[in-house]
Amino acid sequence: MAGRLTEAGDDALVRVVTPADGHARLSVEKLGALGESPSLKWLRAACQAMLPRIDLPELLLEVHSWTGFLDAYVHLADVSTRMHDLPRSLVALLISEACNVGLTPVIKDGDEALTRSRLSHVDQNYVRAETHAAANAILIEAQRGVPIVQLWGGGLLASVDGLRFVVPVQTINAAPSPKYFGYKRGLTLLNAVNDQVMGIGQVVVPGTPRDSLYILDCLINIDAGPQPEVVTTDQASDSDMVFGIFSMLGYRFAPRFADLGDQRFWRADLSDGTTPAYGPLEAIARNKINRQKIATQWSDMTRVAGSLVTNQVRAYDLLRMFARNGRPTPLGQAFAEYGRIDKTLHLLSILDPIDDTYRRKLNKQHTVQESRHRLARKICHGGNGQIRKAYREGQEDQLAALGLVVNAVALWNSKYLSAAVDQLRAQGVPVKDEDAARLSPLGHAHLNVLGRYAIASSAPAGGLRQLGEIPDVPDSDAGADEEGV
């Protein structure tokens, strides 16, 4: 990177500057947005026009017909027990929880699967944390098999962020935060989303605590899919100690920084005691890692890592123990020193003036997370989007249902987007992979989540619904000379 900085010159996006105070720092310009070629704009419009309109209950039943994910809801006492028409009862319960509307809109007297007593029985005996997780695992694996999804990513990049909810009832599992909850109290749904646009794990926490205390608990206990290698989040989750623990567990922790130019860069002596030269970065690599602190605590650091991955202790509890009242313990200091290595590598990857691939991948993943949160807000529309469960278990079950339903929508959209691209290509439209890679399965203009719900399927047996008409086909050369910047 040092050589690249030299080649980049004074007009580079990243350069070392020395202000009047004499302390060298990096000057970092924001990345420009990637351009959108005419072919990409047309493809997005075409796919939107081709997606069938659908009610949310029908969507869930159709996804079940492909995947059998509702079969993961087994009886608490007897896994061999399967009630007649159980999927419709389960869909009704998922709608009532995810849409935050309660049972009244989904009850239908005279319909055995949708009576109040039947729904109450299914809720008590079939719906719980482990069955939600098992059903979600089926959706995650199904998404991996959709052809277009491979263009979006391999599941090795994930983002973790919080979705905030006001809790207007008395509960110990909520806390104040004027920024997010006004004069009320609330909770945070901390959810991990991979680059295949699926929620792979989540945890509910009171208020808006520093998310880094919970991120590892969320990641270590994902429902399915490959374990992410790179995990991005916002800067509020950043600390050197968190970098160290993530690195010990095999993750690249990759938070966003609002003040990239002011971050500390760390250097280390070589094993022979000499200090290497850092070229143009010499002026900013002012801080030296204490390798001895790491060496002294190394055996305990590896034991901590083993305890975390085997779920013998929560990451949240360990991080609090290592940083008592802002004073790190010797073990906490060792993790912080170790984390400074990975943090510096992460910063250098972000600031690479020649190859911006890493930085753009992280930015794209944050956009995926934000889009997913918008979809979740649309689905969880009842009760002004507030969570009114008083007990933690009820809150967790409701938000698990929301995460599951959002995943089902993402899977349904992905499958139909893939079919739309296949149909366009079959009719001679030259759809580029780089354009299909920028489609999103989180659009929801075609999705109805409102009203009293008909819990029934109208999907054709063994196939997909009829796609909409294809808009006018563009010139085959459209956008050929306009690549994204």
Side-chain angles (χ1 to χ4, degrees):
M1 170 142 178
R4 291 176 176 176
L5 276 173
T6 301
E7 296 168 2
D10 291 339
D11 60 347
L13 293 175
V14 182
R15 60 185 183 275
V16 178
V17 297
T18 305
D21 61 10
H23 291 288
R25 63 188 297 276
L26 285 179
S27 173
V28 184
E29 296 183 19
K30 291 184 177 180
L31 286 175
L34 286 175
E36 294 187 354
S37 66
S39 62
L40 173 59
K41 293 178 181 178
W42 181 89
L43 180 62
R44 283 178 173 157
C47 288
Q48 182 178 357
M50 295 173 70
L51 292 183
R53 297 190 64 83
I54 190 168
D55 292 338
L56 186 55
E58 287 188 296
L59 182 149
L60 295 177
L61 288 169
E62 185 171 350
V63 170
H64 174 63
S65 73
W66 304 336
T67 65
F69 81 103
L70 295 174
D71 294 338
Y73 290 92
V74 295
H75 195 280
L76 186 63
D78 183 1
V79 296
S80 64
T81 300
R82 298 302 291 178
M83 302 177 71
H84 173 68
D85 222 0
L86 181 59
R88 293 179 62 232
S89 302
L90 290 166
V91 165
L93 289 169
L94 290 174
I95 291 292
S96 71
E97 293 281 59
C99 293
N100 205 27
V101 294
L103 288 178
T104 300
V106 298
I107 288 173
K108 186 175 181 181
D109 292 334
D111 188 330
E112 181 185 1
L114 302 177
T115 62
R116 182 178 293 275
S117 60
R118 167 70 171 264
L119 295 180
S120 177
H121 174 80
V122 172
D123 188 29
Q124 293 175 22
N125 291 280
Y126 290 85
V127 180
R128 54 195 183 276
E130 52 265 38
T131 52
H132 279 317
N136 199 41
I138 293 172
L139 297 181
I140 294 167
E141 291 301 326
Q143 178 80 343
R144 291 175 59 77
V146 179
I148 197 173
V149 171
Q150 302 307 312
L151 299 175
W152 300 337
L156 299 180
L157 168 63
S159 54
V160 182
D161 197 12
L163 186 58
R164 321 291 183 179
F165 293 91
V166 170
V167 182
V169 299
Q170 290 292 325
T171 174
I172 62 172
N173 200 49
S177 175
K179 178 180 178 181
Y180 293 102
F181 310 133
Y183 294 105
K184 296 183 174 66
R185 296 159 66 87
L187 56 77
T188 296
L189 173 63
L190 191 65
N191 56 112
V193 179
N194 67 16
D195 55 6
Q196 296 185 332
V197 201
M198 296 299 277
I200 56 176
Q202 61 183 46
V203 61
V204 177
V205 294
T208 57
R210 289 201 61 178
D211 294 345
S212 61
L213 300 178
Y214 296 92
I215 288 175
L216 275 172
D217 289 324
C218 186
L219 290 170
I220 290 170
N221 298 290
I222 64 172
D223 293 334
Q227 199 74 31
E229 295 179 355
V230 179
V231 181
T232 184
T233 184
D234 60 36
Q235 185 171 355
S237 304
D238 163 44
S239 80
D240 293 346
M241 192 184 305
V242 172
F243 270 97
I245 295 178
F246 267 75
S247 184
M248 286 291 295
L249 296 179
Y251 299 106
R252 161 61 64 85
F253 187 47
R256 288 193 294 186
F257 295 104
D259 52 352
L260 276 170
D262 295 327
Q263 293 298 315
R264 287 187 174 188
F265 290 76
W266 297 82
R267 63 197 300 164
D269 291 341
L270 298 177
S271 57
D272 61 4
T274 61
T275 301
Y278 285 78
L281 297 178
E282 190 75 34
I284 64 168
R286 296 186 294 268
N287 308 283
K288 186 177 293 187
I289 293 165
N290 188 328
R291 297 169 66 236
Q292 185 58 40
K293 287 185 177 180
I294 301 172
T296 300
Q297 299 290 333
W298 184 253
S299 60
D300 286 339
M301 292 169 68
T302 57
R303 278 195 287 270
V304 165
S307 297
L308 286 169
V309 298
T310 56
N311 278 314
Q312 296 181 39
V313 64
R314 290 195 312 166
Y316 170 79
D317 295 327
L318 275 179
L319 285 165
R320 291 189 63 186
M321 182 177 67
F322 292 160
R324 293 193 299 261
N325 300 319
R327 300 183 184 89
T329 64
L331 186 53
Q333 291 174 15
F335 273 114
E337 292 291 334
Y338 190 68
R340 287 163 183 162
I341 301 171
D342 213 47
K343 180 177 182 178
T344 301
L345 293 173
H346 166 56
L347 286 167
L348 293 176
S349 296
I350 287 179
L351 299 172
D352 192 319
I354 302 300
D355 186 357
D356 60 16
T357 303
Y358 181 78
R359 193 171 170 189
R360 288 195 184 279
K361 281 173 61 177
L362 300 186
N363 288 348
K364 177 184 176 183
Q365 187 60 27
H366 282 285
T367 301
V368 167
Q369 183 102 46
E370 291 165 1
S371 297
R372 184 180 172 86
H373 284 179
R374 285 194 294 271
L375 174 58
R377 290 290 187 196
K378 174 174 179 173
I379 292 172
C380 187
H381 66 275
N384 296 319
Q386 300 177 346
I387 302 301
R388 299 175 182 273
K389 302 289 180 69
Y391 297 102
R392 176 170 185 150
E393 184 177 357
Q395 295 166 358
E396 290 176 339
D397 285 348
Q398 179 173 4
L399 294 176
L402 175 60
L404 181 74
V405 169
V406 172
N407 270 1
V409 173
L411 173 58
W412 190 94
N413 284 347
S414 299
K415 193 152 186 173
Y416 276 92
L417 284 173
S418 196
V421 168
D422 288 345
Q423 182 168 313
L424 290 170
R425 285 172 169 163
Q427 297 187 13
V429 179
V431 178
K432 303 175 183 177
D433 277 353
E434 56 264 37
D435 288 342
R438 296 179 67 179
L439 295 176
S440 170
L442 297 171
H444 45 75
H446 58 290
L447 176 65
N448 176 45
V449 302
L450 303 173
R452 294 186 67 89
Y453 302 94
I455 315 295
S457 175
S458 62
L464 301 182
R465 298 166 188 269
Q466 182 68 40
L467 295 172
E469 293 184 4
I470 300 176
D472 291 338
V473 177
D475 187 331
S476 60
D477 293 327
D481 298 322
E482 299 184 36
E483 297 295 332
V485 179

